[in-house]
Amino acid sequence: MSNITRLLDSVNVIQKRTFIKNFKKLFQRIDLPPIPKQIPQSSFYFNIERVDEFQWMQDPNNQDIREYIAAENEFVEMKNKLITPEVVSPLKVLSNGYEYYTKHSNYGSIYYRRKKKSLSNEEILLDSKKLTKANKQIKSVLLSTDENLLGYLVEQEGDEIGSLHFKDLSRYNNYQNEILDGVFNFLWGTNVHIVYYTVTDEQLRPYKVYAHQLGTSQRNDMLIYEEKDYTSFVDITSTKDQSFIMINSNTFSSSEVRFFDAHHDVSQGTPELKLIEPRTSGLEYYVDHRDGYFYILTNADNCHNFKLVRTRIENISKKYWETIFTVKETERIEDVDIFKDYIVIFAKSEGLPVLMCYELKSSKVHQITLPTNLCAVSPEINIDCNTNIVRFTCNLPLAHETTYEYNMKSRNLYSIRSKSINASRLDFDSNLYTCYRTRVKASDNTEIPITLLHKKSLIMNHNNPVLLRSYGAYGITTDPDFQLEHFPLLERGWVIALAHVRGGSELGYSWYDQGRLMNKKNSFTDFISVVEYLISTGYSNASKISAIGISAGAAFNMRPDLFRALVLRVPFLDPLTSMLNPNLPLTKIEYNEWGNPLENKDIYKYISSYAPYDNIPYDTTFDDNFKQHNIGTSILVTAGMQDQRVNYWHSLKWVSKMRIRQAKQFWPYKKNNLLILKIDTNKGHFGSNVNNQSDRIRDLAFEFAFLITQVQ
């Protein structure tokens, strides 16, 4: 039974009204919300006073915090009975005579291999069931180049570093007790008994690369590289042909890459690192290798949307880079995959996916025809360089993902695996729905793309429930892909609106640049413009609008009259406090996104002007007209106590201040308006355990039940 089947089983219950009735009863209890204590603390920046009544909540060791979180979690609680999913047909990767594949279950992932074309002798490489029960998860699994050794990185839920374990698949050696601690990422050298890994500093910044030789103590591991620039992340990769190990030092706006021979034997000394191009502010580049050439994806020479260049390994500096492929201003290259005779280019055009094949011999380019442009495309694992077959996945908003193989020589496209929606459980017929893109004028007349999904029979009567989703930060795109929680809403006549606001990179680098730093407010005002469009064109009205996304909190502060319900997932609600504390994880890295309010008064005042936590008004400031006509908003805020990226106190402080300043806008004063804080004491930034499907489906079921009860 697939993920969607499990969710749809919950939907079946909803359709029978049992789930919704229980949910309504849950939220109609007479319990009063907890009232947080206030301890005002003043600080001054540029002679501007900032008073924070809930700064005490930033100390995770404060016993009062645990008690308050427990009180918030007890304010609303629900349990769902979820059905174990069936195992989806596994996607096999072929290598050296073996088929490798993964099966997923309610208890986690199981990694297998068997000899090609064999119907028996299925070998279990790794079973994550025991780890899941211990609240741990597998972050990554890698085979050595000879495929006899398995390395797997295990993390405690919420952590971003873990322990690296080894397994000898040939069974000649026992590495059960050989564990490397504090590992962020790793890869194998071509010398199969050597593994390279990165570790982090106190700010969770990967900054050191070590080499470990199996059979030796971690205390003796060799330091290969240390990055001393606090704004740079270090990562290690290998070229696809496994000739070189690459050490990549990246910020949000620059790159510096070193490389060394992947066959190097560390017992003979430290490898010689060669620098490709020194870091320069604004210059990004990413490197692969084939037949004596480095192929480099870069934004050099003001190509903000990236281009593909190459250079001989004997002449690696930028002055020797030869441009071989560029894109238009409205296009952006996101990734490339190199083969013997072709390079596959994964790009976006006007925010929609485009796949192109560049033939190395002739320099000719042809485009791969996709089933539809309104989808999300991602490369699959393509290990073999010496093939004309590329594998990729196409994810559609109204259909589960399909994996394709494309023959670059014959230009034939084949579907090799497709996950279907269990129509018998939901009676879901995709032919009854439509998906299309339109544009909305923002407050400065910039045209904002939005993607809309709904029933073809939709009546534009200003009365349809809407779920608006967006991200709009860090250049992350809001793709029109498959989302589990959309289907029960679509069945009930909802409109799903994906707002491609500035701050994402849907329309290229300039689109991202227009939504960061001193342009950050564009993300929020774009979000508001989309809501106003949905209302003015007849899709809905303010009493039927709900929203999920990083922009929703600030947009709600600016226009609380436009939203009936909000779901704020691990939200960045107190950015000013984070940016004022350089000792917090990732703060220094984030200056490129938000600015440094410690050094610049204008930046301080700008962040203060939109930060959700700093802009919560007292309900006494609302005029009589607002109070009379505004139906009010119900808000669900979620967070993870173990989140090391967005601290739990963003949510905790924001909800606490809302409870004090806008108490009369919510239960029990306004019985239809709920303010709910749901903090998972074991959850990290990326939600529930990635190996535990039950937790993920439970969280989704909770959220869409909240939306349905509050909006519909």
Side-chain angles (χ1 to χ4, degrees):
M1 193 182 299
S2 64
N3 285 356
I4 184 64
T5 303
R6 297 182 61 231
L7 183 63
L8 302 184
D9 262 291
S10 294
V11 175
N12 247 359
V13 180
I14 294 175
Q15 288 177 324
K16 296 174 184 175
R17 302 293 180 180
T18 304
F19 188 61
I20 290 297
K21 286 180 180 178
N22 290 340
F23 199 88
K24 286 182 176 178
K25 288 179 182 178
L26 189 68
F27 285 157
Q28 289 171 356
R29 298 187 312 180
I30 307 301
D31 299 10
L32 295 178
I35 303 300
K37 68 178 181 180
Q38 301 181 70
I39 306 176
Q41 297 188 42
S42 295
S43 54
F44 290 85
Y45 300 93
F46 308 102
N47 294 320
I48 302 171
E49 183 181 18
R50 183 177 188 243
V51 179
D52 190 343
E53 301 92 338
F54 302 104
Q55 185 174 325
W56 64 272
M57 291 183 171
Q58 294 172 211
D59 178 9
N61 298 315
N62 190 316
Q63 182 60 31
D64 289 342
I65 290 179
R66 298 284 178 174
E67 293 175 0
Y68 179 66
I69 289 173
E72 285 283 1
N73 285 342
E74 288 174 6
F75 178 53
V76 56
E77 177 184 348
M78 73 181 258
K79 295 180 180 179
N80 301 313
K81 182 179 179 183
L82 299 173
I83 300 174
T84 304
E86 65 185 2
V87 176
V88 178
S89 174
L91 186 63
K92 298 179 176 66
V93 176
L94 303 179
S95 181
N96 291 341
Y98 279 94
E99 296 176 335
Y100 292 89
Y101 51 96
T102 306
K103 295 180 182 179
H104 303 280
S105 73
N106 185 41
Y107 303 103
S109 301
I110 305 176
Y111 301 84
Y112 295 87
R113 78 172 177 182
R114 68 181 174 196
K115 290 187 177 181
K116 187 178 179 181
K117 298 181 179 180
S118 172
L119 299 179
S120 59
N121 299 323
E122 184 177 63
E123 178 184 0
I124 296 178
L125 303 181
L126 185 63
D127 187 345
S128 65
K129 182 177 180 179
K130 291 182 180 179
L131 295 172
T132 301
K133 289 183 176 180
N135 205 32
K136 295 181 179 181
Q137 59 191 31
I138 297 175
K139 179 180 180 180
S140 58
V141 177
L142 287 178
L143 282 165
S144 60
T145 53
D146 69 351
E147 301 182 15
N148 285 323
L149 296 171
L150 181 74
Y152 57 101
L153 184 57
V154 177
E155 295 177 342
Q156 191 72 33
E157 172 63 30
D159 290 348
E160 302 217 11
I161 58 174
S163 55
L164 181 56
H165 301 250
F166 304 97
K167 183 177 181 180
D168 188 348
L169 303 181
S170 67
R171 298 180 176 85
Y172 290 128
N173 298 290
N174 184 358
Y175 295 113
Q176 184 175 354
N177 297 321
E178 187 160 349
I179 300 172
L180 306 184
D181 294 319
V183 176
F184 183 82
N185 191 20
F186 78 101
L187 60 80
W188 292 96
T190 304
N191 185 325
V192 295
H193 289 92
I194 296 174
V195 65
Y196 299 95
Y197 63 94
T198 58
V199 299
T200 65
D201 61 14
E202 294 179 352
Q203 279 73 45
L204 294 181
R205 177 182 67 95
Y207 78 118
K208 286 182 178 180
V209 178
Y210 283 95
H212 174 78
Q213 189 162 8
L214 265 65
T216 66
S217 170
Q218 186 176 8
R219 294 191 301 270
N220 300 326
D221 288 354
M222 178 183 293
L223 178 63
I224 303 295
Y225 178 74
E226 179 178 1
E227 177 54 71
K228 297 183 179 180
D229 180 355
Y230 68 83
T231 66
S232 291
F233 288 88
V234 170
D235 192 23
I236 45 174
T237 57
S238 61
T239 55
K240 188 173 180 178
D241 63 4
Q242 299 177 347
S243 295
F244 300 103
I245 303 294
M246 318 301 288
I247 299 178
N248 310 283
S249 293
N250 297 315
T251 69
F252 278 121
S253 60
S254 69
S255 304
E256 188 172 76
V257 180
R258 293 169 173 82
F259 68 96
F260 62 92
D261 187 351
H263 297 84
H264 179 78
D265 185 351
V266 294
S267 66
Q268 303 301 312
T270 305
E272 178 187 1
L273 304 184
K274 295 182 179 179
L275 175 64
I276 290 183
E277 179 67 21
R279 72 190 67 186
T280 302
S281 179
L283 174 64
E284 300 176 57
Y285 66 97
Y286 309 93
V287 185
D288 207 339
H289 174 265
R290 175 195 169 276
D291 288 349
Y293 280 93
F294 281 132
Y295 288 84
I296 303 172
L297 184 62
T298 180
N299 65 350
D301 307 316
N302 294 316
C303 288
H304 296 299
N305 293 328
F306 289 85
K307 64 179 179 178
L308 187 62
V309 303
R310 72 176 180 182
T311 187
R312 296 287 305 180
I313 61 173
E314 298 86 3
N315 301 306
I316 55 179
S317 66
K318 181 174 174 292
K319 65 181 180 180
Y320 296 109
W321 293 0
E322 171 196 1
T323 299
I324 62 173
F325 185 81
T326 60
V327 293
K328 301 174 184 176
E329 183 63 30
T330 56
E331 299 175 337
R332 177 182 173 87
I333 302 177
E334 297 195 324
D335 201 358
V336 296
D337 203 345
I338 298 177
F339 297 84
K340 178 184 177 183
D341 298 319
Y342 298 90
I343 298 177
V344 179
I345 298 163
F346 294 83
K348 289 274 182 70
S349 177
E350 298 287 343
L352 299 174
V354 176
L355 266 67
M356 293 169 281
C357 291
Y358 177 91
E359 187 176 2
L360 287 162
K361 188 174 182 179
S362 66
S363 300
K364 292 181 179 179
V365 179
H366 72 267
Q367 186 169 321
I368 301 174
T369 302
L370 299 172
T372 175
N373 285 331
L374 281 170
C375 63
V377 172
S378 57
E380 274 291 342
I381 299 173
N382 293 290
I383 296 176
D384 189 3
C385 299
N386 301 310
T387 180
N388 292 323
I389 304 294
V390 60
R391 182 181 286 182
F392 62 90
T393 295
C394 190
N395 210 319
L396 281 68
L398 292 174
H400 223 316
E401 69 179 39
T402 299
T403 303
Y404 293 94
E405 283 187 347
Y406 179 75
N407 189 309
M408 294 174 278
K409 187 173 183 179
S410 67
R411 303 191 183 184
N412 291 322
L413 181 68
Y414 305 95
S415 170
I416 62 170
R417 187 182 71 164
S418 183
K419 297 180 182 179
S420 61
I421 301 171
N422 193 328
S424 64
R425 294 185 177 272
L426 183 63
D427 194 26
F428 184 84
D429 182 357
S430 61
N431 293 319
L432 300 178
Y433 299 84
T434 184
C435 176
Y436 55 95
R437 180 163 289 189
T438 187
R439 290 177 179 264
V440 175
K441 280 200 173 182
S443 55
D444 61 359
N445 288 324
T446 300
E447 291 192 337
I448 311 300
I450 60 171
T451 302
L452 294 165
L453 295 80
H454 57 74
K455 285 184 175 180
K456 292 178 180 177
S457 60
L458 183 82
I459 300 173
M460 304 287 278
N461 60 0
H462 295 273
N463 201 39
N464 301 293
V466 170
L467 173 60
L468 176 62
R469 308 184 71 135
S470 185
Y471 198 84
Y474 307 105
I476 296 173
T477 59
T478 302
D479 290 322
D481 56 6
F482 181 86
Q483 295 288 336
L484 287 170
E485 62 266 43
H486 287 175
F487 290 88
L489 301 181
L490 288 169
E491 266 288 297
R492 286 171 169 75
W494 284 56
V495 177
I496 308 296
L498 309 179
H500 309 289
V501 302
R502 284 172 284 186
S505 59
E506 284 90 340
L507 302 187
Y509 176 83
S510 64
W511 199 248
Y512 163 55
D513 197 42
Q514 291 175 51
R516 69 184 184 104
L517 299 174
M518 299 298 280
N519 296 318
K520 188 64 219 170
K521 283 186 181 180
N522 285 337
S523 302
F524 316 133
T525 56
D526 288 356
F527 197 81
I528 291 170
S529 294
V530 171
V531 176
E532 292 174 330
Y533 169 84
L534 294 170
I535 294 172
S536 65
T537 52
Y539 285 94
S540 193
N541 67 78
S543 70
K544 294 292 183 73
I545 300 285
S546 64
I548 297 176
I550 194 172
S551 301
F556 168 73
N557 271 11
M558 294 176 178
R559 289 293 304 275
D561 58 314
L562 291 180
F563 303 95
R564 174 65 195 112
L566 298 177
V567 175
L568 306 179
R569 296 174 180 164
V570 290
F572 201 50
L573 292 169
D574 189 9
L576 188 56
T577 295
S578 287
M579 292 300 101
L580 287 170
N581 187 350
N583 295 320
L584 287 175
L586 307 181
T587 289
K588 295 175 182 178
I589 308 298
E590 298 271 357
Y591 287 153
N592 185 71
E593 181 73 21
W594 308 92
N596 186 347
L598 285 171
E599 296 183 352
N600 188 297
K601 181 179 180 180
D602 290 337
I603 292 175
Y604 177 89
K605 293 174 68 176
Y606 187 72
I607 298 177
S608 297
S609 70
Y610 67 74
Y613 181 72
D614 290 84
N615 288 278
I616 299 175
Y618 288 95
D619 50 23
T620 55
T621 63
F622 297 141
D623 59 33
D624 292 337
N625 182 64
F626 178 89
K627 293 177 182 178
Q628 180 179 354
H629 293 96
N630 181 40
I631 190 173
T633 307
S634 287
I635 305 174
L636 170 62
V637 185
T638 67
M641 197 68 181
Q642 305 304 319
D643 192 335
Q644 296 179 307
R645 297 189 180 214
V646 179
N647 299 85
Y648 69 91
W649 45 258
H650 281 267
S651 299
L652 195 62
K653 290 171 61 180
W654 187 82
V655 169
S656 298
K657 187 179 279 191
M658 289 287 286
R659 294 219 186 280
I660 298 297
R661 293 195 173 188
Q662 294 195 22
K664 293 185 178 180
Q665 300 302 312
F666 299 98
W667 171 276
Y669 299 97
K670 286 192 175 181
K671 297 188 183 301
N672 292 325
N673 298 340
L674 302 172
L675 177 58
I676 300 169
L677 175 62
K678 185 171 179 284
I679 294 185
D680 190 325
T681 55
N682 295 316
K683 189 166 65 175
H685 182 72
F686 298 103
S688 302
N689 192 317
V690 296
N691 294 311
N692 192 325
Q693 299 178 33
S694 175
D695 286 351
R696 297 202 305 276
I697 302 301
R698 179 199 62 202
D699 292 343
L700 289 175
F702 186 93
E703 290 179 5
F704 77 68
F706 170 82
L707 292 173
I708 291 171
T709 56
Q710 300 308 297
V711 176
Q712 201 172 21

